[in-house]
Amino acid sequence: MTIEHRGELDALVYPLFSAPGLDRDEAASLVRAMTRGEYFPHSMAAYSTAIEQALAQPDPVTAALGPPYTETQVRDFLRLLHEELEKVKPWPDAPG
């Protein structure tokens, strides 16, 4: 597995432990937080790259974390999150 932005990927999975669901509204909520520079210290481009890398490889993306959702559910959510990220381009600079 080659995910250069593993920390960014994990930062996207951690909120799922308390997420009420893995729907588009939740994905949009995370993107709004990123846009405001809340909770997510890296650039939106880095999060997008992490999602792309995770979805392109066959190994489990949640193995080290064990969120309360299945691998398939998390991958589906990451796809939604990536779509929501794409909607807000151009992205602001990294917080900092």
Side-chain angles (χ1 to χ4, degrees):
M1 168 171 56
T2 304
I3 299 176
E4 294 172 18
H5 296 276
R6 186 70 208 196
E8 288 88 339
L9 180 64
D10 288 349
L12 297 172
V13 175
Y14 286 135
L16 305 184
F17 283 87
S18 61
L22 300 184
D23 57 14
R24 188 169 297 278
D25 288 340
E26 187 65 26
S29 175
L30 290 181
V31 170
R32 283 192 299 275
M34 286 180 204
T35 302
R36 293 188 302 260
E38 298 174 354
Y39 315 116
F40 298 95
H42 303 286
S43 71
M44 295 173 86
Y47 293 111
S48 178
T49 299
I51 293 169
E52 290 169 355
Q53 290 173 351
L55 295 177
Q57 53 89 31
D59 297 331
V61 297
T62 61
L65 301 175
Y69 296 100
T70 67
E71 178 73 14
T72 299
Q73 289 172 312
V74 171
R75 283 178 173 272
D76 289 345
F77 179 75
L78 290 173
R79 284 184 193 89
L80 288 175
L81 185 56
H82 195 262
E83 290 172 10
E84 292 300 314
L85 277 168
E86 290 296 308
K87 287 180 184 179
V88 298
K89 277 184 170 178
W91 297 320
D93 292 334

